[in-house]
Amino acid sequence: MDEGRQPLSRKIPIKSSKINPYRMLIVLRLVILGLFFHYRILHPVKDAYALWLISVICEIWFAVSWVLDQFPKWYPIERETYLDRLSLRYEKEGKPSELSPVDVFVSTVDPLKEPPLITANTVLSILAVDYPVDKVACYVSDDGAAMLTFEALSETAEFARKWVPFCKKYCIEPRAPEWYFCHKMDYLKNKVHPAFVRERRAMKRDYEEFKVKINALVATAQKVPEDGWTMQDGTPWPGNSVRDHPGMIQVFLGSDGVRDVENNELPRLVYVSREKRPGFDHHKKAGAMNSLIRVSGVLSNAPYLLNVDCDHYINNSKALREAMCFMMDPQSGKKICYVQFPQRFDGIDRHDRYSNRNVVFFDINMKGLDGLQGPIYVGTGCVFRRQALYGFDAPKKKKAPRKTCNCWPKWCLLCFGSRKNRKAKTVAADKKKKNREASKQIHALENIEEGRVTKGSNVEQSTEAMQMKLEKKFGQSPVFVASARMENGGMARNASPACLLKEAIQVISCGYEDKTEWGKEIGWIYGSVTEDILTGFKMHSHGWRSVYCTPKLPAFKGSAPINLSDRLHQVLRWALGSVEIFLSRHCPIWYGYGGGLKWLERLSYINSVVYPWTSLPLIVYCSLPAICLLTGKFIVPEISNYASILFMALFSSIAVTGILEMQWGKVGIDDWWRNEQFWVIGGVSAHLFALFQGLLKVLAGVDTNFTVTSKAADDGEFSDLYLFKWTSLLIPPTTLLIINVIGVIVGVSDAISNGYDSWGPLFGRLFFALWVIIHLYPFLKGLLGKQDRMPTIIVVWSILLASILTLLWVRVNPFVAKGGPILEICGLDCL
């Protein structure tokens, strides 16, 4: 194959020995589900009809939810990139690099919640990335207009002059200094330069001095002066009022004269804080990202964009090259809107009791979607095509000309007569087209003869109309509109830096997006706190496809909330965004038909916005075991041999499906089981609260927040894991845990008092209750904390709840017969 046409990546399908049994089992499980519901519906429990009906409704919902989750995993694939081919094609010796430029976006809001040192490490890893320096520009969005962030970025730019050449000289990995110096690894592996050890020690000392400077800035920022912050020249800091300040842009690196300590050029580093005024809806992170798109479009206009959260650093210095293997691929690159990398995390304990790594989603679900139309966008670690973010449709594949043949026998006209009709229609259409062109030419000649048309007037009118249309779409900035029309990026010639900065300030003003399509059809889409799902969905609806890239060395790493309360609030935010999308016009159930969205991809998007509604049947279903144990009823009648076989087949198919998924997704059983447990924990807490909060917000306009208050902390490597923070999200799972434990105690006591015959019916109820308790076990561990001691507030709340349940139990009084106690004469004379 010609070197210029060789693919830069390839698909690696899952082995048929792994995927075919998996698909067969999915079909078999569908059959078993059909038989199961046939039995359940035709065998109601007459003495517990309400319990039976509720349980069947819940089970039908779970089955639908399983279908939505399962079928998008029908075609899982993996991918491999060829970095050597990329270099051979675009980095020829003795010539400038032809790799495409990339603009990198980093977003931060509050430096007191998002430590400046973490943001600084992310920025340093970007500046030191293994990519041509003149083709990388880093834009940091400070949506809190904090002087602390500005000063920390200034210090970061100064330290980068030493750190970047050190990383490139010695091929350091990872290139975030905090993680490089703290990792317990053999840093001398593959290092042969005699000066490495000496320079590494000097660099570590420089980094520690840099940390002290950042810590000093943070300490100073703890107490805000009465008159607000002032800059070094004595002028007031423009961002003293967080909600009312002008737009600010500062270019720290990349300008003339700013080079590293070895006199090499550095990538561009730009600080951006968009204008904020009272009375404007700024659309949170999505609005900040759209401001960065416009600023970068004016200042650098790279055809590709990478966005990362401030706590997600580049762990693999070749991450941009990995993405370019897909984006710049000569065969398939033009149709790719973004390359999504998996999220990997540092600082999580070995057991990962709250499923923070989310391995099942990133290693199973996302690989399944990659075999369809591509993975969903998850908010960070994603390289975009700028034109796709601008709302343009994906390029359509040219259809090959159909083969024609005039040798069909006459008797085939019944089957193939349509060919003749199509041919006749085509000829007629060609004649009409020729007639229209001829009439246009005649009218043009008449106009010229009559002198009613001057030279170039039509061209000028069409150009003006196109310019007005683009300004209505992109806003009133001629410079930005001109950049948006450049498919391959690039800057306008003879544009002075001062004029470009002035234009950049204009495009981040509050009123710039008024009466435009920003947030509606272009850029990050507004309308949900999870703008990532909406943005990816819109691009897929325009016919684009995405790619999932999983290099052996993780491309990005970040930090995750590892204690229970913070984890639940993170899940609450995701679920709230899904509810908002479900109740909006962009809901994938009814939006985007007639576009380029494939039906299995649509199923995955429907699942991503429907899953919070599963919390309602889930919390009801988890309450049923306790109700059954307390009342002596059950949701199924006396089980026959046929029913036993059905139940065993259903449970076996669930288990084997999980095992096969773990096999082809290369996921450990611990990660899979933690994911199952947290699905229940999150479903009965965060998803439930998100559902009600979303309904109140969208339907009633009431915006509610659940606050988290820190109560205690322990010192240690994973001290945050044992940090207890009271939140109302803990109430529903705590209630379920307590009533199921009480139900088990009551059920066993009842069986002991009633004799041997009552143990048989009790077994099913006990299994049902223990299923709930086992799934909530990590939640119980989170409540107990490191010392295995439940916090006082939980003890008080539990005692109150237990008292209510006890009074309820006395009212039910199951140990006494319905007609009152039966008294019999024992036959003994006690006198």
Side-chain angles (χ1 to χ4, degrees):
M1 186 183 288
D2 179 23
E3 182 183 322
R5 302 299 300 170
Q6 279 187 328
L8 302 178
S9 64
R10 72 181 181 102
K11 294 180 183 178
I12 306 177
I14 305 298
K15 292 181 180 178
S16 57
S17 59
K18 293 181 179 180
I19 198 62
N20 287 340
Y22 176 70
R23 290 170 179 164
M24 291 170 61
L25 189 64
I26 291 174
V27 175
L28 179 62
R29 187 170 167 183
L30 275 176
V31 174
I32 294 171
L33 273 174
L35 296 173
F36 171 78
F37 283 117
H38 180 266
Y39 171 81
R40 291 284 280 132
I41 293 170
L42 295 182
H43 293 79
V45 182
K46 294 180 180 179
D47 61 341
Y49 190 82
L51 290 178
W52 167 82
L53 182 61
I54 291 171
S55 65
V56 170
I57 292 172
C58 292
E59 288 161 1
I60 291 173
W61 181 269
F62 295 150
V64 172
S65 178
W66 171 75
V67 169
L68 292 175
D69 179 69
Q70 193 68 60
F71 277 89
K73 295 183 279 190
W74 190 263
Y75 300 104
I77 62 168
E78 294 179 338
R79 295 182 185 270
E80 183 181 27
T81 57
Y82 301 115
L83 296 177
D84 52 344
R85 291 182 184 176
L86 182 76
S87 296
L88 284 171
R89 185 172 302 165
Y90 296 109
E91 294 182 299
K92 295 179 180 177
E93 191 174 353
K95 295 182 179 180
S97 173
E98 296 178 3
L99 289 172
S100 292
V102 181
D103 291 337
V104 186
F105 298 165
V106 181
S107 57
T108 183
V109 180
D110 187 351
L112 299 180
K113 292 181 180 178
E114 299 165 334
L117 186 63
I118 300 299
T119 305
N121 272 269
T122 299
V123 171
L124 288 168
S125 70
I126 294 168
L127 298 176
V129 72
D130 183 7
Y131 209 74
V133 293
D134 60 325
K135 296 180 181 293
V136 177
C138 178
Y139 294 84
V140 180
S141 170
D142 176 18
D143 221 30
M147 189 172 173
L148 172 57
T149 303
F150 181 86
E151 291 184 334
L153 208 59
S154 177
E155 294 290 346
T156 303
E158 184 61 30
F159 179 70
R161 297 180 63 244
K162 302 175 184 177
W163 175 251
V164 172
F166 172 74
C167 290
K168 294 189 174 182
K169 182 178 181 180
Y170 296 111
C171 300
I172 300 300
E173 296 286 356
R175 297 191 177 181
E178 181 70 22
W179 300 106
Y180 171 69
F181 289 120
C182 77
H183 277 181
K184 296 177 181 178
M185 59 181 179
D186 181 13
Y187 63 85
L188 296 176
K189 186 178 181 180
N190 300 326
K191 297 295 185 291
V192 296
H193 201 287
F196 171 69
V197 174
R198 183 180 70 254
E199 291 192 24
R200 184 182 185 276
R201 287 173 181 167
M203 184 54 61
K204 187 175 183 181
R205 184 174 62 252
D206 290 339
Y207 177 65
E208 288 172 350
E209 292 175 358
F210 168 72
K211 285 178 67 174
V212 170
K213 290 179 182 178
I214 298 295
N215 292 338
L217 292 174
V218 174
T220 305
Q222 298 297 321
K223 188 176 180 180
V224 182
E226 294 182 1
D227 299 331
W229 300 106
T230 56
M231 294 187 289
Q232 293 181 356
D233 59 359
T235 57
W237 170 247
N240 278 325
S241 178
V242 177
R243 295 179 178 84
D244 187 6
H245 64 83
M248 295 178 282
I249 297 177
Q250 175 66 46
V251 180
F252 285 109
L253 295 176
S255 56
D256 295 337
V258 181
R259 292 177 172 264
D260 65 22
V261 292
E262 296 184 1
N263 202 32
N264 296 316
E265 188 180 352
L266 286 166
R268 182 177 295 188
L269 176 61
V270 183
Y271 169 90
V272 179
S273 182
R274 58 182 172 144
E275 182 187 18
K276 285 191 175 180
R277 301 298 181 193
F280 286 88
D281 188 354
H282 301 290
H283 302 289
K284 300 180 180 178
K285 181 183 176 181
M289 299 306 294
N290 284 338
S291 294
L292 288 185
I293 295 179
R294 296 193 293 271
V295 169
S296 64
V298 171
L299 297 181
S300 52
N301 197 34
Y304 303 106
L305 313 171
L306 164 65
N307 96 281
V308 291
D309 289 341
C310 64
D311 60 345
H312 275 71
Y313 64 90
I314 296 180
N315 183 67
N316 182 347
S317 63
K318 297 186 184 297
L320 294 182
R321 294 176 179 269
E322 295 276 356
M324 290 304 110
C325 284
F326 299 104
M327 290 295 195
M328 301 182 72
D329 190 285
Q331 297 179 7
S332 60
K334 290 292 184 182
K335 288 205 70 174
I336 296 174
C337 57
Y338 62 81
V339 178
Q340 178 65 63
F341 292 88
Q343 291 184 20
R344 306 300 185 200
F345 301 99
D346 289 311
I348 298 177
D349 69 308
R350 180 170 53 89
H351 300 291
D352 189 20
R353 65 172 67 158
Y354 308 129
S355 191
N356 277 290
R357 292 191 181 94
N358 221 351
V359 176
V360 171
F361 173 76
F362 285 112
D363 289 352
I364 294 179
N365 294 62
M366 295 288 267
K367 288 179 181 178
L369 291 175
D370 199 18
L372 303 176
Q373 199 174 342
I376 63 174
Y377 167 44
V378 298
T380 184
C382 188
V383 177
F384 290 95
R385 184 182 300 275
R386 188 183 283 268
Q387 291 292 304
L389 275 172
Y390 285 167
F392 293 110
D393 291 332
K396 293 182 180 179
K397 189 176 181 181
K398 293 182 180 179
K399 293 183 179 179
R402 294 184 177 180
K403 294 180 180 179
T404 58
C405 180
N406 296 324
C407 57
W408 296 103
K410 292 182 179 179
W411 56 268
C412 287
L413 290 176
L414 291 173
C415 300
F416 302 100
S418 59
R419 290 174 176 269
K420 189 174 181 180
N421 295 335
R422 281 200 302 268
K423 187 175 180 182
K425 289 179 181 178
T426 304
V427 171
D430 289 341
K431 286 182 179 179
K432 287 182 180 179
K433 187 176 180 181
K434 288 177 181 177
N435 291 336
R436 283 197 301 268
E437 289 176 355
S439 63
K440 285 180 182 179
Q441 292 172 2
I442 291 169
H443 286 305
L445 288 169
E446 290 174 353
N447 291 337
I448 291 170
E449 289 173 359
E450 295 174 9
R452 288 182 295 176
V453 177
T454 58
K455 186 178 180 180
S457 63
N458 289 338
V459 176
E460 290 176 3
Q461 289 176 3
S462 62
T463 303
E464 289 177 4
M466 177 62 70
Q467 184 69 17
M468 289 177 64
K469 184 179 179 181
L470 289 173
E471 287 183 358
K472 187 175 180 181
K473 180 178 182 179
F474 292 106
Q476 302 291 321
S477 171
V479 176
F480 179 74
V481 169
S483 71
R485 299 179 67 175
M486 299 178 184
E487 184 178 351
N488 297 319
M491 299 298 300
R493 296 179 181 178
N494 304 323
S496 67
C499 292
L500 292 178
L501 277 175
K502 185 178 179 181
E503 198 71 22
I505 289 291
Q506 180 195 344
V507 298
I508 59 172
S509 60
C510 287
Y512 184 81
E513 294 183 356
D514 290 349
K515 298 180 181 179
T516 67
E517 295 184 8
W518 284 102
K520 300 171 187 173
E521 298 296 331
I522 61 177
W524 270 258
I525 306 301
Y526 303 150
S528 171
V529 293
T530 51
E531 69 288 327
D532 43 8
I533 295 177
L534 264 182
T535 304
F537 175 60
K538 291 284 282 190
M539 284 187 273
H540 282 137
S541 298
H542 280 283
W544 297 93
R545 72 151 296 124
S546 55
V547 165
Y548 193 51
C549 181
T550 56
K552 292 181 179 179
L553 179 64
F556 303 91
K557 280 191 175 182
S559 55
I562 63 173
N563 67 70
L564 177 60
S565 301
D566 288 346
R567 174 68 167 137
L568 287 177
H569 273 263
Q570 182 189 57
V571 174
L572 169 67
R573 180 182 172 276
W574 295 341
L576 175 59
S578 295
V579 175
E580 289 175 336
I581 297 171
F582 181 86
L583 299 172
S584 73
R585 73 181 187 91
H586 288 117
C587 179
I589 297 175
W590 50 73
Y591 181 85
Y593 289 96
L597 191 65
K598 296 182 179 179
W599 71 274
L600 280 178
E601 189 80 11
R602 182 178 294 278
L603 277 186
S604 72
Y605 275 111
I606 292 174
N607 184 50
S608 69
V609 301
V610 166
Y611 76 89
W613 296 84
T614 306
S615 61
L616 293 175
L618 183 61
I619 198 165
V620 171
Y621 206 71
C622 289
S623 303
L624 289 179
I627 296 172
C628 292
L629 286 165
L630 291 172
T631 60
K633 310 294 183 182
F634 200 38
I635 59 175
V636 294
E638 187 175 345
I639 299 178
S640 61
N641 291 335
Y642 173 71
S644 301
I645 294 172
L646 269 182
F647 282 111
M648 290 175 63
L650 181 61
F651 289 130
S652 299
S653 66
I654 292 171
V656 177
T657 303
I659 291 170
L660 292 177
E661 280 185 353
M662 287 185 280
Q663 191 177 32
W664 64 254
K666 301 172 185 176
V667 173
I669 189 169
D670 288 344
D671 291 315
W672 182 84
W673 175 237
R674 291 296 184 223
N675 182 77
E676 292 294 308
Q677 288 179 312
F678 201 80
W679 178 79
V680 175
I681 295 171
V684 299
S685 57
H687 297 173
L688 183 68
F689 276 70
L691 184 58
F692 287 109
Q693 187 178 355
L695 289 171
L696 286 172
K697 184 176 180 181
V698 175
L699 301 180
V702 179
D703 196 359
T704 56
N705 292 308
F706 301 101
T707 57
V708 183
T709 306
S710 179
K711 298 297 179 184
D714 297 307
D715 296 329
E717 183 180 0
F718 299 109
S719 59
D720 283 347
L721 178 64
Y722 310 106
L723 184 68
F724 178 77
K725 300 178 180 179
W726 170 251
T727 168
S728 51
L729 296 177
L730 302 177
I731 294 175
T734 305
T735 305
L736 287 175
L737 200 57
I738 291 175
I739 64 173
N740 276 282
V741 170
I742 291 176
V744 169
I745 295 171
V746 170
V748 173
S749 303
D750 191 14
I752 292 172
S753 64
N754 290 336
Y756 177 79
D757 292 339
S758 60
W759 284 98
L762 178 66
F763 177 76
R765 303 186 191 105
L766 282 179
F767 176 81
F768 199 12
L770 290 174
W771 177 88
V772 176
I773 294 170
I774 291 172
H775 277 79
L776 293 176
Y777 176 71
F779 176 81
L780 179 62
K781 291 267 294 181
L783 291 181
L784 295 176
K786 188 175 183 179
Q787 307 299 329
D788 290 334
R789 178 176 58 82
M790 189 173 289
T792 305
I793 190 168
I794 296 295
V795 174
V796 173
W797 195 90
S798 302
I799 291 173
L800 178 63
L801 181 65
S803 302
I804 296 171
L805 291 171
T806 304
L807 292 172
L808 178 64
W809 175 253
V810 172
R811 178 71 181 85
V812 174
N813 205 6
F815 293 133
V816 180
K818 296 288 183 183
I822 301 174
L823 302 177
E824 296 181 357
I825 299 174
C826 63
L828 297 176
D829 188 3
C830 299
L831 296 175

